[in-house]
Amino acid sequence: MLSNQAGDEKRTSLHGHWSSRMAFILAVTGSAVGLGNIWKFPYIAGQNGGGAFVLVYLVCVIVIGMPVMMSEILIGRRGRRNPVATMELLGKEEGSSGNWRWLGGLGVMAGILILSYYSVIAGWTLAYVVKSATGVFVGATAEEVGAEFGGFVGSWKAITLCHTLFMALATFVVARGVERGIEQAVRFMVPALLILMLVLLGYSMSSGYFGQGVAFMFTPDFDKLTWGSVLAALGQAFFTLSIGMGAIMAYGAYLPEETSITGASAAVVTADTSIAILAGLAIFPLVFANGLDPADGPGLVFQTLPLAFGQMAGGMFFSTIFFVLLSFAAWTSAIGLMEPAVAWLVEHYNRSRTQATIIVGGVIWLIGMGSVLSFNVLADTKFLAGTLFDNIDYLTSNIMLPLGGLLITVFAGWVMCRNSTSDELGSSGTLYKAWRMLARFVAPIGILFVLINAVT
Ligand code: PHE
């Protein structure tokens, strides 16, 4: 089958293009690096027993994450529209069916659902900027830091305020469009975040428990590994790389023709994984040094790090900077979560970007109230995976993203013809063949295998 697009004018996106290759890498890195690396990775690893989980996570990132990311970018760039329209267009163009748009729709939904709770946690980081700057954690004991956290999330009014503030910030940047804002923020945030993680690492190395932390993260105990935790590792790989829901597809739509997709993907995957591993190395020694429980759940980072900062010289300063950076990281990720829904509303319903963003932001805010209440008023209302927050998290990370990724690789590997994909990826022999092997066989079969084993 010949690609219809070849010979036609190359498409351009309605929403503008990245000003350079670096701008794209920064934007995708900004989307990938977020609460997933620093807040979620440590607590999920802790809940799933450490070592073996981390190993499975790394394998998932490389053999599944990388090909899915490349597939998403190439689909996005080829379609140059929002994920729903791109999937419909390419589905028809590749001689399959316009119904592939439902895959785009699944991604739009996943983005909305993820941001609904992501914004709640991001709101906590905003509050922790203020708490840090006003010296709440200076010299605090583990009990005091724990009580502070418990009291804070126990108050639905306090965390509603923070959730609202964060959604307002996210809505503001997305309304301004893709080029302004994101680039500036990320260019400074990712390096600064790396430096602060290294400071924290230095501190945790001097805690006397570094060895124990490293052992917890890297000594695989396969007896502890269940299919449930393999699925959690797979879900975490998708979540942290922002793949499986069209965010990267939407960003790919604004990517200039000449940029290498493989190179950009490798850079993003490396940066994202390094920051997660660093976060784990900084956090677990502190968990053990303070007699905390690594399986403590979503509050883990909000309890260990303030405690460490509180005991450090200049801790008030570092702690404030850290939470500012984490808020920035969450902010640049939130943009990616909103972009598919906003781009879709703009193109499909002819809305202005501002209108579309406000509508999407409002809907997400409302759904997010369910997660706000999951930490206080509805904390004891549990079903299936736990609270409403737990269920939205489980449904999105462990079901919707892997399913999205599975269908994306099936589309790129089986539905799209060889000419189309090699045109986008540049058929540099071995690398292209490796991608195609992973996208056609390894990723889809791997995802399906894990999903089936974990749910049965
Ligand atoms: N990758 C982001 C993080 O780690 C979350 C995210 C998921 C962002 C999906 C965009 C799309 O925090």
Side-chain angles (χ1 to χ4, degrees), residues 31-32 34-37 118 239-242 245 247 333 336-337:
S31 156
L35 296 174
N37 308 61
Y118 199 86
F239 184 89
T240 191
L241 296 175
S242 307
M245 44 86 42
S333 298
L337 287 162

Side-chain angles (χ1 to χ4, degrees), residues 110 182 189 308 353 384 398:
I182 307 185
M189 177 203 86
R353 197 168 171 94
L384 302 170
N398 294 6

Side-chain angles (χ1 to χ4, degrees), residues 221-351:
D221 174 359
F222 289 101
D223 292 342
K224 284 202 196 132
L225 204 65
T226 59
W227 279 109
S229 41
V230 174
L231 179 60
L234 179 70
Q236 174 62 15
F238 274 87
F239 184 89
T240 191
L241 296 175
S242 307
I243 51 178
M245 44 86 42
I248 303 293
M249 205 186 278
Y251 281 11
Y254 318 138
L255 183 64
E257 271 328 305
E258 58 291 348
T259 306
S260 151
I261 292 179
T262 316
S265 305
V268 173
V269 169
T270 310
D272 187 78
T273 310
S274 314
I275 292 187
I277 297 291
L278 269 177
L281 285 177
I283 284 161
F284 288 119
L286 301 175
V287 168
F288 297 120
N290 293 290
L292 301 171
D293 178 5
D296 201 29
L300 194 63
V301 178
F302 293 94
Q303 298 183 48
T304 43
L305 295 189
L307 190 59
F309 285 125
Q311 291 160 7
M312 241 183 244
M316 205 164 122
F317 171 75
F318 283 127
S319 179
T320 311
I321 302 282
F322 175 81
F323 283 108
V324 168
L325 289 173
L326 193 53
S327 308
F328 265 110
W331 199 6
T332 54
S333 298
I335 299 168
L337 287 162
M338 275 179 103
E339 186 61 25
V342 170
W344 174 66
L345 274 190
V346 169
E347 289 173 32
H348 200 74
Y349 293 102
N350 260 326
R351 296 276 178 175

Side-chain angles (χ1 to χ4, degrees), residues 9-253:
E9 277 287 292
K10 287 285 183 193
R11 296 187 183 104
T12 50
S13 161
L14 273 175
H15 308 273
H17 288 109
W18 303 109
S19 55
S20 66
R21 166 189 141 86
M22 200 54 196
F24 172 75
I25 295 185
L26 284 171
V28 179
T29 309
S31 156
V33 175
L35 296 174
N37 308 61
I38 293 171
W39 160 73
K40 201 174 190 192
F41 173 71
Y43 93 75
I44 299 263
Q47 283 177 335
N48 288 283
F53 172 90
V54 174
L55 191 70
V56 176
Y57 156 80
L58 289 173
V59 171
C60 289
V61 163
I62 295 163
V63 304
I64 298 178
M66 190 62 194
V68 173
M69 179 172 288
M70 290 168 66
S71 307
E72 256 194 60
I73 303 177
L74 82 84
I75 292 173
R77 182 163 74 182
R78 203 157 181 85
R80 292 260 187 242
R81 311 232 156 117
N82 71 78
V84 180
T86 286
M87 288 313 305
E88 177 169 358
L89 176 75
L90 295 189
K92 289 183 187 150
E93 189 171 278
E94 298 288 340
S96 176
S97 142
N99 280 329
W100 280 99
R101 67 174 171 274
W102 293 103
L103 173 55
L106 179 74
V108 168
M109 273 309 297
I112 289 174
L113 287 176
I114 293 176
L115 188 52
S116 78
Y117 76 81
Y118 199 86
S119 162
V120 176
I121 313 295
W124 299 357
T125 66
L126 292 178
Y128 269 62
V129 171
V130 179
K131 289 184 198 291
S132 300
T134 50
V136 170
F137 304 119
V138 176
T141 61
E143 290 72 39
E144 285 164 348
V145 174
E148 177 70 33
F149 177 75
F152 170 60
V153 301
S155 152
W156 69 268
K157 285 186 191 148
I159 63 175
T160 298
L161 183 70
C162 299
H163 165 55
T164 310
L165 188 61
F166 183 81
M167 272 317 297
L169 288 172
T171 305
F172 175 71
V173 179
V174 177
R176 278 171 60 96
V178 291
E179 260 163 293
R180 285 175 295 175
I182 307 185
E183 289 186 38
Q184 276 3 359
V186 185
R187 199 178 286 275
F188 140 88
M189 177 203 86
V190 174
L193 204 56
L194 259 174
I195 294 172
L196 260 188
M197 293 312 302
L198 289 172
V199 171
L200 273 173
L201 183 67
Y203 179 80
S204 84
M205 286 173 99
S206 68
S207 68
Y209 286 81
F210 192 63
Q212 206 174 325
V214 172
F216 180 75
M217 267 183 81
F218 294 114
T219 314
D221 174 359
F222 289 101
D223 292 342
K224 284 202 196 132
L225 204 65
T226 59
W227 279 109
S229 41
V230 174
L231 179 60
L234 179 70
Q236 174 62 15
F238 274 87
F239 184 89
T240 191
L241 296 175
S242 307
I243 51 178
M245 44 86 42
I248 303 293
M249 205 186 278
Y251 281 11

